[in-house]
Amino acid sequence: METSTLGMRNLLKILGYFCLWIMAEAQMKIPPETVQQWASVFSVQLRDFTTKYSGSLLLQKKLKDVESIIRIAELDGGESLRDYSEEIERMLGSKMKSVKRLAESAEDADLYHEYNTSLQFDYYNSMLINTVDEDGNYVELGGEFPLEENEHFNKLPVNTQQSNIQVPTNVYNKDPKLLNSIYNSEGINDVFISNFQRDPTLTWQYFGSSFGFFRIYPGIKWTSDSTGVVAFDCRNRNWYIQAATSPKDIIIMVDISGSMKGLKMTIAKHTINTILDTLGENDFVNVIAYTDYVRYVEPCFRGTLVQADLDNREHFKLLVDELHVKGEAKIKNAMKESFKILNEARMNGQGSMCNQAIMLITDGAMEDFESVFEEFNWPERRVRVFTYLIGREMTFAQNTKWIACNNKGYYTHISTLADVQENVMEYLHVLSRPMVINHDHDIIWTEAYMDTVLPNTKELFNTKAQSLLLMTSVAMPVFSKKKETLSHGILLGVVGTDVPLMEVMKLVPRYKLGAHGYAFLLNNNGYILAHPDLRPLFKDGKKLKPKPNYNSVDLSEVEWEDTDEMLRTAMVKGETGTITLNIRASVDKGKRPLYLTNNYFYTNIAETPFSFGLVLTKGHGSLMFTGSVSVEEGLHDLTSPDLSIASEWTYCETDIDPDHRKYSQYQAVIRYLQGKEPDLECDELLLQQTLFDAVVTAPLEAYWNTLMLNERLEPGVETAFLGTRSGLMRLMRYAGTETRVAKKFLTPSDKDNLFTIDHFPLWYRLAVENTPGRFYYYPVNDKGVKYVIATTAATVSSGDKTAMAGAIGVQMSLDWLEKRFWAIAKQPSDTDCSNVEGVCPLSCEGDDLNCFLVDNNGFILLSKERNDVGRFFGEVDGSIMASLIKMGMFKKVSLFDYQAMCKNSHHHASDARPLLSPFYVIFALMRWLFSNAVMFLLDFNFCGLWHSDYFVDAHKQKKVDALQPCDTEYPGFMYDSSIKEANSLIKCGRCQKMFVVQQIPDSNLVLVVTQATCDCSRQFGPILLQPKEIKYNATVKCNRMKSQKVRRRPESCHAYHPKEDAKECGGASAISFSLPLFSASLLLSPVLLLRRT
């Protein structure tokens, strides 16, 4: 009985499994012919809708009508390169002439000035201007200083009739030397004004004095930082340092023996960081820490010099911060190692091949080191040695001085934190001596940088193109011409002016480069100054911040298809030529890959370290059509209310005449064409094309208005738009602001979809890479606001050439798409299901099916789940996406980002300048107070404590998920349109999942219909587009860090002059080596060693 019952149960189980199998088999029946029919019907409705509401056929017809009067020409990249590079040379040449006039004026003023120790002189202090006391009187050094908002100076309130003076907090603003120097520089004010009148495109002009003050034109109100101090010191700025000295190789030697513990080590670290801050990308550096053995702070850099770019400087700072004291000091071996590195670099043609110096940071030098200098440095003394005696003990001061004075260096004593800045700067004055004595006025151009001093920096971050946020400065040293001080080589300061790189790149007309063309600039080190793919900012929470390595992005990191670096090498060497590269580009924030063939044209910019590159895309990017209409006819259509032009492009130069700065580009164009502003300098070819485009596209305005007035608009159609190569745009808002879903689309804040200085609109770039006349559809997810854009290219032909005339499209809400699609994607209720196994009738709205509209890059336009719209399909259903990739329907494209930021959880010292936090300072001071109370009261500079360098939170140490620069690889996907349909079964455990994929004709879309009841997520994970960090092993990482790419050294070098007075070595005459004194020092050393351990 039990046996028969058991058998019955087994039989029932088998029957149950069989029934389940039958049901599974039934669910897998998705007829491909049904899906094909849905796709075909939907294609017709989609095409009719977008064609009707965009007016694309009308635009193409109007272009056809004018083909007999237009001309299509192939752009000559070489000729364009010459024209634009000459324009850039003229512009930069004008800036250099302005700086030369400033230098001459400053030197002449000093020549005829006699120093007056009792000089009483009031000047406009930029911190104090327009400030009154309690009685309503202007404070001393303040006074009334008119300020007026000026468009040319980023809408800052300025005074274009007067410069004023900024003095750092750590400089006494009534010091006699300072007052004499400020009085001297008064004459520069007239040159500032005349320069600006000669060249109205000039921005900030300035004179940075060696005494620390900063004269800036136009005058502004300077604001302190959050702590109430002025940290800005012009002598720390790159333009000052580069102009004051020639390129240099620096070895920093720091004593980390036991006697350096406590505040001494803190001062030493701050000294190292300050020295590092004085270096630039034309300099080379290494840092050695020594006790009884030699230790490279970065073992990877053993025995070599590395370029002092921002990356390496910040890397050194992090490592220096981790140094700990231990053992006793043995300077001799460390000194030998330093000389060997510098000598080998010189012999092998490495490093700067100019100045060489060793920076010795110690609290005492006790060894017999004369033999080291005899072996490595005497008698030529090619390597200067600068010594920094740390702490208040003076026991070994004479020995430390002797080292500097006998090696053409300089000795300084740093007993407090406040002493560091001034004492470090002394070495720059020593290195400048040969250049000053020889009166070589070398003009320098700085590396690209982001000026964060001015108060509206945050606004610029959010409103300007990232790729053009940077600027460069042109600067020139100012020397004393007085004969009596000639051998001293007195540097008075540096004059300069800023050049926003956006203004330079505006000289290259965007319309001539086409949808994917661009121009770029790089310097002699291969680092980018301007490039559309340069991204110097990153988002830290809600704030945009400069990346730690924002100005040391190499050309090879954005033009990464140049694998052999042929383009980079030729440009760095200053050559002129052309090269063709097949590249993988991407648009839409890197999500959509494109295969392009680019022609690169390049040349150097005379009298600068810069090279200029021009890129034209092969095919439509190299063809341009021109047409002509009368001004009267074109002007009528140009004033249509639905029309606008690219506000960031230069149709007319409004920055030359101050009276024109009030005009927008559109206003300037209209006034020029009306004859109201005949003095405006305008791009005649661009205006001619804009007028022609206005006439050809004018019928679209009437067409769109007719639809609005006479037709019953379908719900969901919101905006029609078009754009032409001339930057002209027309748009029609079919839906009001209240009902429109895409409220931001094509508004001034929608930079991605407008013509800007560094790119064409996204919809334009996508359209021109698609078949003309066929619409390209893609989803937009703007912070949760979702909609769809359809766009297509319009062309014009002449002879055997066809050029892109523009793009036209329509923006719609998801409502229309869903309504039409769900109505089509279902079998009628009266469908004959008698011979159908499984679910019948089928419906995409039903629970049994999941249906998706997916674009050619794999992004979802339509799904039952609205949250899926805009997401990558592989993220939603990895099983089907994996099958489509395997079938070849979608192909993976590997893309790389060498400007990425990755999370790196560790004890992190801020990438800002590593200064001391208040807590760290107080703790160190308390320790010192208890052990050295009396000497502390005598020696410590309390005023210096309030210098902002010490009271900022840039050095807070905390456990954070810090974002650090990294390299990443990420995938993109492209649909192979030759595969029009596919279907298959996916085995997923106990079920099999059927899917059918069908191309939507005349579009870039595919319809994916899949069984909803079979879950494959356990067997197939999602396919994500997230970038993956490229991890390098220790050896590769080390080689990458210390590798020196091809670079072009600056042409001038001033390392030696026979008339240099090397006796000026730190407040004392040259010190002869005193054997008795040195012996006494050695006798005392055992006593001090007890303190070291």
Side-chain angles (χ1 to χ4, degrees):
M1 182 68 179
E2 290 180 3
T3 304
S4 61
T5 304
L6 185 62
M8 185 62 71
R9 285 178 180 172
N10 289 336
L11 180 61
L12 289 172
K13 281 183 180 180
I14 292 168
L15 287 172
Y17 288 138
F18 180 73
C19 290
L20 286 172
W21 180 78
I22 291 294
M23 290 175 66
E25 284 294 300
Q27 289 174 341
M28 281 186 272
K29 298 294 184 182
I30 303 173
E33 59 275 13
T34 299
V35 177
Q36 185 181 38
Q37 183 186 7
W38 292 347
S40 179
V41 173
F42 184 68
S43 167
V44 173
Q45 293 197 13
L46 191 61
R47 184 179 65 245
D48 290 348
F49 175 86
T50 51
T51 300
K52 174 182 176 180
Y53 286 106
S54 68
S56 60
L57 293 181
L58 175 61
L59 177 61
Q60 193 59 64
K61 180 182 181 301
K62 293 301 175 184
L63 287 168
K64 185 75 175 172
D65 293 343
V66 297
E67 284 184 351
S68 60
I69 60 171
I70 61 101
R71 187 173 66 88
I72 297 178
E74 189 157 354
L75 294 171
D76 186 333
E79 183 180 335
S80 299
L81 182 78
R82 284 191 298 275
D83 292 343
Y84 304 150
S85 62
E86 286 172 5
E87 282 287 317
I88 294 172
E89 284 173 7
R90 276 193 288 272
M91 177 193 187
L92 300 186
S94 173
K95 313 306 177 196
M96 289 189 277
K97 287 177 183 176
S98 296
V99 169
K100 286 178 182 177
R101 286 190 287 268
L102 290 173
E104 289 169 3
S105 173
E107 289 182 352
D108 289 344
D110 174 75
L111 180 63
Y112 301 109
H113 174 75
E114 291 186 13
Y115 183 80
N116 183 355
T117 54
S118 58
L119 177 66
Q120 297 294 317
F121 174 65
D122 286 335
Y123 58 89
Y124 285 112
N125 186 307
S126 60
M127 277 286 292
L128 303 174
I129 56 170
N130 301 329
T131 303
V132 295
D133 58 21
E134 294 176 355
D135 299 324
N137 300 316
Y138 287 111
V139 298
E140 188 179 14
L141 301 181
E144 184 179 3
F145 194 81
L147 297 171
E148 186 177 341
E149 190 176 284
N150 192 301
E151 183 80 25
H152 182 66
F153 293 95
N154 299 321
K155 297 185 178 180
L156 281 176
V158 299
N159 184 332
T160 55
Q161 299 305 310
Q162 183 69 46
S163 62
N164 58 6
I165 304 294
Q166 178 267 339
V167 183
T169 300
N170 66 324
V171 175
Y172 177 43
N173 61 21
K174 299 283 277 187
D175 181 273
K177 290 182 179 178
L178 185 86
L179 287 176
N180 274 267
S181 186
I182 292 175
Y183 181 79
N184 253 354
S185 67
E186 280 287 291
I188 303 178
N189 192 70
D190 292 336
V191 185
F192 282 148
I193 296 170
S194 66
N195 276 345
F196 191 42
Q197 288 171 346
R198 291 185 191 200
D199 181 2
T201 65
L202 278 171
T203 57
W204 306 103
Q205 301 176 72
Y206 39 81
F207 168 63
S209 167
S210 59
F211 291 109
F213 76 82
F214 181 62
R215 181 180 286 279
I216 184 169
Y217 173 87
I220 60 169
K221 173 73 173 176
W222 203 279
T223 54
S224 59
D225 60 25
S226 58
T227 61
V229 295
V230 182
F232 177 83
D233 188 328
C234 62
R235 295 168 297 177
N236 295 339
R237 304 296 280 184
N238 195 265
W239 52 264
Y240 185 100
I241 295 164
Q242 276 188 243
T245 63
S246 295
K248 47 201 170 289
D249 299 335
I250 300 290
I251 301 289
I252 302 174
M253 282 175 51
V254 58
D255 180 353
I256 57 168
S257 62
S259 65
M260 288 286 289
K261 65 182 178 181
L263 190 59
K264 284 186 184 179
M265 197 64 216
T266 298
I267 295 172
K269 289 178 179 180
H270 186 35
T271 302
I272 296 170
N273 291 337
T274 306
I275 293 171
L276 288 169
D277 283 338
T278 66
L279 304 180
E281 61 187 41
N282 287 320
D283 304 318
F284 289 77
V285 68
N286 207 334
V287 182
I288 291 176
Y290 69 91
T291 53
D292 50 356
Y293 66 95
V294 177
R295 171 189 166 190
Y296 286 86
V297 296
E298 172 53 82
C300 170
F301 298 158
R302 175 175 292 278
T304 190
L305 291 165
V306 294
Q307 196 170 5
D309 59 26
L310 190 60
D311 258 349
N312 285 332
R313 297 199 306 266
E314 294 302 319
H315 182 65
F316 274 127
K317 288 178 184 181
L318 291 174
L319 295 171
V320 165
D321 190 54
E322 302 298 321
L323 289 176
H324 300 288
V325 298
K326 185 180 180 182
E328 62 177 282
K330 296 288 186 183
I331 189 175
K332 197 170 184 178
N333 290 337
M335 192 68 77
K336 282 184 177 182
E337 186 72 11
S338 299
F339 276 115
K340 285 178 182 177
I341 294 171
L342 294 172
N343 287 345
E344 286 179 14
R346 186 171 62 248
M347 296 294 290
N348 296 328
Q350 297 173 340
S352 69
M353 292 299 291
C354 193
N355 286 295
Q356 291 193 321
I358 295 171
M359 311 302 215
L360 174 61
I361 301 168
T362 181
D363 64 346
M366 297 176 296
E367 296 175 74
D368 179 3
F369 32 71
E370 186 174 8
S371 61
V372 178
F373 301 135
E374 288 177 341
E375 180 182 357
F376 291 99
N377 206 36
W378 292 349
E380 294 90 350
R381 291 175 171 81
R382 289 176 176 170
V383 178
R384 297 178 189 264
V385 182
F386 296 87
T387 56
Y388 302 89
L389 185 64
I390 305 296
R392 71 180 184 282
E393 290 97 342
M394 301 291 291
T395 309
F396 298 101
Q398 288 294 98
N399 299 340
T400 313
K401 280 184 183 179
W402 184 90
I403 293 172
C405 292
N406 283 277
N407 290 279
K408 295 174 68 176
Y410 200 89
Y411 157 81
T412 56
H413 179 211
I414 304 177
S415 58
T416 71
L417 289 163
D419 295 338
V420 173
Q421 184 67 47
E422 290 294 323
N423 283 302
V424 166
M425 298 306 294
E426 291 293 345
Y427 97 87
L428 295 173
H429 298 149
V430 174
L431 290 185
S432 71
R433 284 177 190 163
M435 177 172 60
V436 177
I437 296 169
N438 212 36
H439 272 257
D440 287 320
H441 285 87
D442 293 334
I443 287 187
I444 65 95
W445 289 89
T446 67
E447 59 203 56
Y449 68 94
M450 203 174 293
D451 198 340
T452 56
V453 175
L454 296 174
N456 64 341
T457 301
K458 290 180 181 177
E459 288 78 4
L460 289 177
F461 282 2
N462 291 310
T463 58
K464 302 292 183 184
Q466 266 208 45
S467 61
L468 294 168
L469 264 179
L470 307 186
M471 62 176 60
T472 182
S473 294
V474 56
M476 178 184 279
V478 178
F479 311 138
S480 173
K481 291 182 178 179
K482 293 176 179 177
K483 290 182 180 179
E484 60 269 26
T485 59
L486 182 62
S487 65
H488 296 264
I490 296 175
L491 176 74
L492 300 176
V494 173
V495 291
T497 185
D498 293 341
V499 182
L501 291 163
M502 179 179 286
E503 298 305 315
V504 179
M505 301 314 287
K506 276 184 177 180
L507 297 175
V508 185
R510 194 73 194 77
Y511 71 98
K512 287 191 177 180
L513 303 181
H516 298 297
Y518 55 92
F520 61 98
L521 274 175
L522 73 155
N523 66 13
N524 58 301
N525 289 299
Y527 295 148
I528 290 170
L529 286 87
H531 192 290
D533 290 335
L534 178 65
R535 305 190 316 277
L537 303 178
F538 76 104
K539 205 158 192 178
D540 186 11
K542 293 183 178 180
K543 292 182 178 179
L544 283 171
K545 293 182 178 179
K547 293 176 182 175
N549 60 339
Y550 76 88
N551 67 347
S552 56
V553 177
D554 196 88
L555 181 66
S556 61
E557 294 176 322
V558 291
E559 299 288 353
W560 44 267
E561 293 281 23
D562 180 26
T563 52
D564 296 327
E565 298 193 0
M566 293 174 63
L567 173 66
R568 183 194 181 280
T569 300
M571 293 190 71
V572 166
K573 288 182 176 180
E575 297 174 358
T576 298
T578 182
I579 190 173
T580 301
L581 293 175
N582 294 315
I583 68 159
R584 285 166 284 177
S586 63
V587 295
D588 198 7
K589 298 179 174 65
K591 295 188 300 185
R592 301 182 182 276
L594 298 171
Y595 284 106
L596 302 174
T597 299
N598 283 348
N599 292 320
Y600 293 79
F601 304 87
Y602 53 85
T603 191
N604 70 308
I605 303 298
E607 295 187 61
T608 76
F610 308 144
S611 288
F612 171 65
L614 190 69
V615 179
L616 296 175
T617 305
K618 219 168 188 178
H620 63 78
S622 299
L623 295 174
M624 181 175 171
F625 90 92
T626 53
S628 182
V629 295
S630 67
V631 172
E632 294 75 17
E633 184 183 4
L635 192 56
H636 174 268
D637 291 325
L638 198 60
T639 53
S640 301
D642 72 325
L643 184 147
S644 63
I645 59 175
S647 60
E648 292 184 12
W649 291 12
T650 304
Y651 294 81
C652 293
E653 185 55 73
T654 57
D655 211 24
I656 295 175
D657 186 337
D659 292 336
H660 294 155
R661 288 177 185 150
K662 61 189 175 187
Y663 298 135
S664 67
Q665 282 295 312
Y666 182 75
Q667 290 169 333
V669 167
I670 298 298
R671 294 184 68 83
Y672 175 76
L673 293 173
Q674 289 173 338
K676 294 179 180 178
E677 295 287 355
D679 294 334
L680 275 165
E681 292 184 16
C682 299
D683 185 330
E684 296 293 343
L685 178 61
L686 179 55
L687 290 192
Q688 175 187 314
Q689 193 58 41
T690 304
L691 289 171
F692 184 82
D693 291 347
V695 172
V696 172
T697 60
L700 271 297
E701 179 189 13
Y703 175 83
W704 290 334
N705 279 318
T706 300
L707 288 178
M708 277 281 291
L709 296 173
N710 301 333
E711 293 278 338
R712 185 167 174 267
L713 292 176
E714 294 195 46
V717 57
E718 296 192 343
T719 302
F721 56 88
L722 67 82
T724 69
R725 188 164 177 160
S726 65
L728 177 146
M729 278 185 60
R730 289 184 184 271
L731 65 89
M732 166 60 72
R733 300 293 191 186
Y734 287 123
T737 308
E738 303 79 14
T739 58
R740 197 162 65 241
V741 173
K743 290 180 171 59
K744 182 183 172 184
F745 181 60
L746 295 182
T747 62
S749 63
D750 186 19
K751 295 289 186 183
D752 287 344
N753 288 307
L754 300 177
F755 290 94
T756 70
I757 193 168
D758 70 341
H759 64 71
F760 275 53
L762 175 60
W763 45 266
Y764 193 109
R765 286 178 284 166
L766 291 171
V768 298
E769 293 306 316
N770 199 39
T771 305
R774 195 180 80 175
F775 277 88
Y776 183 102
Y777 304 86
Y778 65 99
V780 177
N781 183 354
D782 182 15
K783 297 177 182 177
V785 178
K786 301 180 179 184
Y787 52 91
V788 173
I789 292 174
T791 179
T792 188
T795 61
V796 61
S797 297
S798 178
D800 60 347
K801 295 175 182 175
T802 299
M804 291 291 168
I808 189 168
V810 64
Q811 173 263 317
M812 66 192 90
S813 70
L814 292 175
D815 294 335
W816 181 90
L817 207 64
E818 291 173 341
K819 179 183 175 183
R820 287 297 183 97
F821 181 77
W822 301 135
I824 292 167
K826 61 171 67 174
Q827 291 178 323
S829 55
D830 59 353
T831 300
D832 182 7
C833 298
S834 57
N835 296 320
V836 178
E837 296 179 1
V839 179
C840 184
L842 291 173
S843 171
C844 277
E845 285 188 289
D847 296 333
D848 304 294
L849 294 180
N850 282 332
C851 300
F852 304 89
L853 285 180
V854 178
D855 71 21
N856 61 310
N857 297 120
F859 294 97
I860 298 172
L861 272 81
L862 184 142
S863 166
K864 278 191 288 192
E865 299 292 332
R866 273 210 174 180
N867 287 337
D868 292 341
V869 174
R871 294 172 67 190
F872 180 60
F873 181 64
E875 185 183 335
V876 175
D877 195 325
S879 62
I880 295 178
M881 193 67 200
S883 295
L884 296 180
I885 294 170
K886 191 175 181 180
M887 292 174 178
M889 199 168 201
F890 278 89
K891 293 180 179 178
K892 180 181 175 182
V893 180
S894 292
L895 300 166
F896 299 90
D897 183 2
Y898 296 102
Q899 302 175 68
M901 298 290 287
C902 301
K903 285 187 176 180
N904 185 16
S905 182
H906 65 294
H907 267 304
H908 173 64
S910 169
D911 287 306
R913 190 174 167 201
L915 310 173
L916 301 173
S917 72
F919 305 106
Y920 196 39
V921 172
I922 292 168
F923 179 66
L925 292 182
M926 287 177 64
R927 289 172 57 190
W928 206 28
L929 271 168
F930 284 116
S931 60
N932 305 281
V934 177
M935 290 304 295
F936 169 77
L937 292 172
L938 292 172
D939 200 38
F940 190 73
N941 179 352
F942 278 100
C943 295
L945 185 65
W946 299 104
H947 191 287
S948 67
D949 281 3
Y950 317 131
F951 281 83
V952 295
D953 60 356
H955 201 60
K956 289 179 182 176
Q957 292 212 358
K958 54 185 177 181
K959 190 76 171 177
V960 294
D961 283 338
L963 290 172
Q964 294 292 318
C966 62
D967 299 339
T968 60
E969 179 181 3
Y970 64 98
F973 292 89
M974 298 180 73
Y975 167 57
D976 184 349
S977 59
S978 65
I979 304 175
K980 300 187 182 302
E981 57 188 19
N983 63 84
S984 185
L985 288 173
I986 303 172
K987 294 182 180 179
C988 302
R990 293 184 177 180
C991 65
Q992 294 188 83
K993 186 173 190 174
M994 184 179 186
F995 69 87
V996 176
V997 181
Q998 181 67 49
Q999 185 184 83
I1000 306 284
D1002 298 319
S1003 79
N1004 63 314
L1005 305 178
V1006 293
L1007 170 58
V1008 181
V1009 180
T1010 177
Q1011 182 181 342
T1013 53
C1014 183
D1015 183 7
C1016 297
S1017 58
R1018 288 188 177 182
Q1019 290 77 20
F1020 297 87
I1023 297 174
L1024 306 176
L1025 298 183
Q1026 270 80 2
K1028 292 182 180 179
E1029 183 177 358
I1030 301 171
K1031 298 284 187 179
Y1032 302 105
N1033 63 43
T1035 302
V1036 174
K1037 189 174 183 179
C1038 176
N1039 289 335
R1040 282 170 59 87
M1041 287 175 68
K1042 69 181 182 182
S1043 66
Q1044 294 185 16
K1045 291 178 178 286
V1046 173
R1047 57 185 293 273
R1048 180 169 29 127
R1049 291 188 179 90
E1051 293 179 2
S1052 63
C1053 169
H1054 307 284
Y1056 170 77
H1057 197 286
K1059 293 183 180 179
E1060 178 186 347
D1061 183 5
K1063 294 177 182 178
E1064 295 285 332
C1065 59
S1069 300
I1071 300 171
S1072 60
F1073 188 69
S1074 171
L1075 184 59
L1077 179 63
F1078 189 68
S1079 301
S1081 299
L1082 291 177
L1083 288 171
L1084 283 171
S1085 63
V1087 178
L1088 291 172
L1089 287 175
L1090 292 173
R1091 291 180 59 200
R1092 292 177 184 264
T1093 55

